[in-house]
Amino acid sequence: MENWLPKIGITLPAAAVQVAPETYFDSSHSDFWLEIGFGKGEHLAAQAAAHPEIGMIGSEPFQNGVSGLIDLVDEGGLSNVRLFQDDARLLMDSLPNASIGRAFILFPDPWPKARHHKRRIVSTGNIAVLSRILKDGAELRIGTDHMEYCRWIMAHMLASSDFVWQCDTPADWRNRPDDWPPSRYEIKSQQAGRVSSYLRFIRRPRSL
Ligand SMILES: C[S@@+](CC[C@H](N)C(=O)[O-])C[C@H]1O[C@@H](n2cnc3c(N)ncnc32)[C@H](O)[C@@H]1O
């Protein structure tokens, strides 16, 4: 971990300035994708391996998670991963408008008690930030196995005029798309018999 963090860890500038995602990579990439709360990094590493042309940026404050992702980066020889070991909201605030081509929030903590709902990462404020940093037509993917949080996510996302839910049939949210690798949490949840929802939203084009 000590060897890897100086190479792939993101340190934000002290001043509140915006930093283009390409700044964090040594080579050029066609686009930049962001995963919020990558856990131990299985999904992020699988996406990085499947898309070497993409610069994958992940954020996770949990130290064991960061070392899990570093192991996968090392084993897979992945040169297109960068990680921020802190709260994703700090990283998002530092990203320029329309700089991210896809974002993932997979199995976010549901904070089921009403008095903790303000801690939920899917919130009106964070949706507005995602809307700011996502490019026109960018996809936002959110997975959850928590029915009440799923309803909350849908209500908050549908309340935003910046996103369109990608759903024609129930299969669109009941089945994980082939290009959405499973995460550790999802596999554990499936083994425990819980059912997950796979929500995909497109950032509407900004008006001219
Ligand atoms: C239930 S776990 C899911 C982990 C992983 N996405 C998966 O599906 O296996 C939620 C993760 O989100 C992380 N997390 C919570 N709040 C966060 C925040 N503000 N910024 C970044 N990560 C956060 C937690 O540390 C935890 O690892």
Side-chain angles (χ1 to χ4, degrees):
M1 188 149 155
E2 300 78 45
N3 294 339
W4 277 99
L5 272 182
K7 288 185 207 154
I8 69 167
I10 291 176
T11 306
L12 297 182
V17 292
Q18 293 190 338
V19 183
E22 45 266 46
T23 315
Y24 298 124
F25 294 84
D26 313 322
S27 52
S28 66
H29 294 282
S30 61
D31 204 356
F32 300 93
W33 293 359
L34 171 69
E35 183 164 341
I36 295 169
F38 57 72
K40 296 201 93 179
E42 291 83 359
H43 171 272
L44 192 153
Q47 291 286 14
H51 299 282
E53 75 285 6
I54 301 293
M56 287 292 307
I57 300 174
S59 172
E60 172 58 64
F62 171 49
Q63 182 146 341
N64 283 351
V66 168
S67 67
L69 176 61
I70 287 175
D71 288 346
L72 296 173
V73 165
D74 192 11
E75 284 158 25
L78 303 172
S79 60
N80 58 332
V81 173
R82 295 293 181 268
L83 66 87
F84 179 61
Q85 190 180 356
D86 207 332
D87 189 325
R89 289 169 292 188
L90 301 170
L91 177 63
M92 289 195 291
D93 282 345
S94 76
L95 288 167
N97 295 355
S99 57
I100 296 294
R102 187 170 287 190
F104 309 90
I105 309 177
L106 305 183
F107 301 88
D109 298 309
W111 297 109
K113 292 181 182 160
R115 69 175 186 279
H116 291 152
H117 284 178
K118 56 183 177 296
R119 298 184 189 177
R120 288 178 163 176
I121 195 79
V122 178
S123 65
T124 304
N126 291 336
I127 291 169
V129 175
L130 281 160
S131 160
R132 182 184 70 73
I133 64 173
L134 287 171
K135 297 177 178 177
D136 290 358
E139 191 171 307
L140 169 61
R141 295 183 171 185
I142 309 177
T144 184
D145 63 348
H146 192 278
M147 194 58 78
E148 187 271 324
Y149 196 14
C150 187
R151 283 196 292 269
W152 164 289
I153 292 165
M154 286 306 304
H156 283 73
M157 289 301 300
L158 295 177
S160 166
S161 54
D162 293 343
F163 288 95
V164 187
W165 186 27
Q166 298 301 287
C167 181
D168 294 322
T169 71
D172 292 333
W173 56 268
R174 284 188 183 143
N175 302 331
R176 181 163 41 71
D178 291 341
D179 66 348
W180 179 331
S183 67
R184 171 174 297 236
Y185 183 92
E186 182 201 348
I187 292 168
K188 278 193 188 166
S189 166
Q190 237 172 13
Q191 287 166 349
R194 292 193 292 275
V195 172
S196 294
S197 301
Y198 306 92
L199 308 172
R200 296 183 302 119
F201 303 89
I202 296 294
R203 203 308 175 191
R204 273 186 215 275
R206 290 156 173 84
S207 44
L208 297 173

